[in-house]
Amino acid sequence: QSVLTQPPSVSAAPGQKVTISCSGSSSNIANNFVSWYQHLPGTAPKLLIYDNNKRPSGIPDRFSGSKSGTSATLGITGLQTGDEADYYCGTWDNSLTAGLFGGGTKLTVL
Amino acid sequence: EVQLVESGGGLVQTGESLRLSCAASGFTFSSYGMSWVRQAPGKGLEWVSGIIVSGLSAYYADSVKGRFTISRDKSKNMLYLQMRSLRAEDTAVYYCAKVLAPAAIGPQFDYWGQGTLVTVSS
């Protein structure tokens, strides 16, 4: 059971929009930056969002991030079949003094 | 070009030890925190350990505290993970990851290695 809670799966049709939530607490999300990663099997995870809502260079603006209180959200618009992957949120926990990842969300583009 | 190349994985028996290495290049290694992240078969990502720039402070997940030790050698641009008293549940692909912001501990990782597989057999 992860400290950060994500839905196990989400799905949407090509071209549509999807959001993935990440729920935490005052010891982690509420007081630390949140990052989001895309992970395809057999490859290294890719950073999509950092500092809650910033995109690294090369990441299209179809990907967006937001944070409010103890929750964060990843949004993906204009879904493409190539977006099918596992998505993880990550942050630091001040009480555990440890890094955390959410349990991961599998995105299916129908 | 930033490169992180892990090595040292393999098959070991329960209770044995193993040391993972990560060779870093393409950035000023001495200016960034580093971490190890793992993924067990069929499971999600798990942050394992992180070390700050100076190497004087390190942090660990509860699941490995007291058994794993992270370290870094600035002269060789190397990151290490010494794993002792290995358990079956330590079986995973282990990734080396670079922290995005200078002098931060993470976990915001902008570069990852390809991973090295550790299998612990009972």
Side-chain angles (χ1 to χ4, degrees):
Chain A
Q1 193 80 359
S2 300
V3 175
L4 302 180
T5 301
Q6 296 182 232
S9 64
V10 295
S11 62
Q16 297 300 303
K17 173 184 177 179
V18 71
T19 60
I20 299 173
S21 60
C22 176
S23 178
S25 69
S26 58
S27 66
N28 43 68
I29 288 179
N31 289 287
N32 290 288
F33 285 128
V34 175
S35 53
W36 288 91
Y37 303 86
Q38 179 190 65
H39 192 203
L40 294 160
T43 68
K46 177 193 289 187
L47 178 66
L48 295 175
I49 298 290
Y50 68 98
D51 288 0
N52 304 330
N53 55 18
K54 298 177 182 175
R55 288 187 311 277
S57 60
I59 301 300
D61 59 6
R62 299 190 299 109
F63 295 90
S64 63
S66 63
K67 188 181 91 169
S68 178
T70 60
S71 293
T73 301
L74 172 71
I76 311 174
T77 60
L79 279 171
Q80 303 172 2
T81 55
D83 295 331
E84 287 201 333
D86 296 319
Y87 292 83
Y88 296 88
C89 58
T91 191
W92 184 258
D93 191 289
N94 297 330
S95 297
L96 298 173
T97 56
L100 296 174
F101 285 103
T105 299
K106 183 175 183 60
L107 169 64
T108 300
V109 181
L110 301 169
Chain B
E1 178 193 6
V2 172
Q3 285 198 318
L4 298 171
V5 180
E6 303 95 338
S7 61
L11 175 63
V12 296
Q13 301 294 312
T14 301
E16 293 185 341
S17 298
L18 201 61
R19 189 178 84 155
L20 304 183
S21 300
C22 172
S25 61
F27 66 102
T28 307
F29 181 72
S30 59
S31 296
Y32 292 88
M34 300 291 294
S35 280
W36 289 96
V37 177
R38 69 184 180 184
Q39 184 178 35
K43 303 294 185 181
L45 298 177
E46 180 187 14
W47 179 89
V48 173
S49 179
I51 189 167
I52 65 172
V53 165
S54 68
L56 296 180
S57 289
Y59 303 87
Y60 300 92
D62 284 345
S63 58
V64 306
K65 202 170 291 183
R67 300 187 299 122
F68 289 12
T69 302
I70 190 172
S71 62
R72 62 192 300 164
D73 185 332
K74 294 177 187 178
S75 67
K76 297 180 179 177
N77 286 358
M78 295 291 294
L79 178 72
Y80 303 102
L81 185 68
Q82 178 68 52
M83 304 184 294
R84 298 181 175 86
S85 302
L86 283 163
R87 306 166 179 167
E89 54 265 36
D90 295 318
T91 294
V93 174
Y94 285 74
Y95 296 98
C96 164
K98 170 189 168 293
V99 177
L100 172 72
I105 185 61
Q108 298 201 117
F109 307 122
D110 55 350
Y111 290 95
W112 300 63
Q114 287 301 310
T116 186
L117 176 62
V118 172
T119 303
V120 184
S121 174
S122 55

